[in-house]
């Protein structure tokens, strides 16, 4: 599979809130850094975080790919993200951030190894 297809599959799994499909794109030693700086490391912690987040029906996320770089068995995608959700009191809020995704190719599959969210 080429990287563009793998990236599309990864993002589609997020938008669909499909935990099994999402985890099929994640490396066992992946790290996710959230916009608030919280860090989630390892497949089980990443799974637990996403299980909770995917269960929330209120959020939407639109992405635009800003840049991709593929070099042998490593690929980076930078996306502009517009995220909308409801806070604990049910009030809407929006975030705009850059999402940097680093993938490594292992056994012919592109797997996410690093997910960095940086507020704009």
């Amino acid at each position: 599979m080429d990287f563009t297809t793998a990236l599309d599959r990864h993002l589609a799994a997020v938008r669909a809130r499909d935990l099994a499909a999402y985890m099929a794109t994640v490396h066992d030693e992946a790290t996710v850094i959230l916009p608030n700086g919280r860090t989630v490391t390892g497949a089980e912690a990443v799974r637990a975080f996403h299980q909770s987040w995917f269960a929330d029906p209120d959020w939407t996320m639109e992405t635009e790919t800003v840049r991709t770089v593929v070099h042998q068995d490593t690929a980076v995608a930078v996306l502009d993200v517009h995220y909308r959700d409801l806070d604990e009191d049910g009030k809407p809020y929006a975030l705009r951030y850059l999402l940097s995704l680093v993938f490594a190719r292992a056994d012919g599959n592109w797997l996410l190894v690093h997910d960095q969210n940086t507020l704009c």
Side-chain angles (χ1 to χ4, degrees):
M1 169 186 320
D2 70 356
F3 176 66
T4 301
T5 302
L7 178 61
D8 290 345
R9 185 175 288 173
H10 176 81
L11 294 172
V14 172
R15 285 187 193 98
R17 297 170 169 83
D18 184 335
L19 187 60
Y22 173 79
M23 290 308 297
T25 70
V26 175
H27 191 279
D28 288 343
E29 297 179 26
T31 299
V32 175
I33 301 177
L34 304 173
N36 65 4
R38 178 179 164 210
T39 302
V40 180
T41 303
E44 288 310 311
V46 170
R47 177 189 306 276
F49 169 78
H50 282 81
Q51 183 173 20
S52 173
W53 183 43
F54 287 178
D56 177 1
D58 299 324
W59 61 267
T60 61
M61 183 176 86
E62 298 170 14
T63 62
E64 179 181 340
T65 302
V66 175
R67 178 182 166 106
T68 59
V69 176
V70 179
H71 180 69
Q72 297 178 354
D73 293 328
T74 304
V76 176
V78 178
L79 299 99
D80 185 14
V81 177
H82 294 267
Y83 179 83
R84 292 170 188 80
D85 202 349
L86 301 177
D87 69 14
E88 294 175 0
D89 297 322
K91 295 180 183 175
Y93 71 94
L95 297 175
R96 180 167 172 245
Y97 58 92
L98 291 175
L99 173 60
S100 298
L101 302 173
V102 179
F103 286 76
R105 187 170 24 210
D107 299 323
N109 295 312
W110 288 102
L111 298 175
L112 178 74
V113 294
H114 187 76
D115 174 323
Q116 171 82 44
N117 298 263
T118 305
L119 292 173
C120 295

